[in-house]
């Protein structure tokens, strides 16, 4: 008899006790892979933390970034791309405050793993996105 795999819920994405569980990490990585760039393209000119989110994304793509740090980053980025969150993004002015808080917490927790090269890549990408 095979055991059924437990599905990761949206709240698991940012739960510090679950973000590093391999199943949750894979789900977060899939969510980020599918939704990060479309969401960022549509919001980059409106959210002040676009550069920080992008720098974290670039850090997750870097093989030198420690796996635990990647897991936390993927959890925060998965929260950013999920359509269901604490404050729906459709509310003008306040819709992204919860996302900003998650990104701020991410930077406080694993920001040392986001290197100058990631920030430079993010800055270049934000300029390109805003120019479109």
């Amino acid at each position: 008899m095979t055991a059924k795999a437990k599905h990761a819920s949206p709240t698991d994405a940012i739960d510090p006790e679950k973000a590093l569980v391999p199943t949750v990490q894979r789900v977060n990585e899939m969510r980020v892979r599918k939704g990060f760039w479309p969401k960022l393209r549509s919001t980059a000119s409106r959210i002040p933390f676009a550069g920080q989110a992008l720098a974290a994304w670039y850090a997750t793509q870097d093989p030198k970034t420690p796996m635990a740090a990647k897991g936390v980053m993927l959890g925060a980025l998965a929260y950013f791309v999920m359509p269901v969150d604490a404050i729906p993004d459709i509310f003008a002015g306040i819709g992204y405050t919860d996302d900003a808080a998650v990104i701020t917490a991410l930077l406080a927790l694993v920001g040392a793993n986001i290197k100058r090269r990631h920030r430079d890549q993010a800055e270049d990408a934000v300029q390109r996105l805003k120019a479109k």
Side-chain angles (χ1 to χ4, degrees), residues 55-117:
W57 184 84
Y58 281 113
T60 66
Q61 304 306 300
D62 187 341
K64 293 180 183 176
T65 302
M67 200 53 85
K70 283 183 184 185
V72 173
M73 290 176 201
L74 287 168
L77 295 175
Y79 183 84
F80 171 64
V81 302
M82 283 191 291
V84 177
D85 57 31
I87 302 174
D89 297 339
I90 59 170
F91 292 126
I94 64 165
Y96 289 101
T97 55
D98 60 323
D99 299 289
V102 169
I103 297 296
T104 300
L106 161 75
L107 295 174
L109 195 59
V110 294
N113 294 286
I114 300 173
K115 306 299 182 191
R116 177 82 256 161
R117 64 185 174 274

Side-chain angles (χ1 to χ4, degrees), residues 18-98:
K18 295 180 182 175
L20 298 180
V21 172
T23 305
V24 175
Q25 205 167 1
R26 281 191 300 277
V27 168
N28 286 342
E29 186 173 7
M30 187 176 57
R31 284 179 178 143
V32 171
R33 187 177 317 122
K34 181 179 176 187
F36 181 75
W37 282 103
K39 176 106 178 218
L40 197 67
R41 280 186 193 102
S42 68
T43 61
S45 63
R46 297 191 319 260
I47 58 172
F49 59 90
Q52 291 91 342
L54 254 170
W57 184 84
Y58 281 113
T60 66
Q61 304 306 300
D62 187 341
K64 293 180 183 176
T65 302
M67 200 53 85
K70 283 183 184 185
V72 173
M73 290 176 201
L74 287 168
L77 295 175
Y79 183 84
F80 171 64
V81 302
M82 283 191 291
V84 177
D85 57 31
I87 302 174
D89 297 339
I90 59 170
F91 292 126
I94 64 165
Y96 289 101
T97 55
D98 60 323

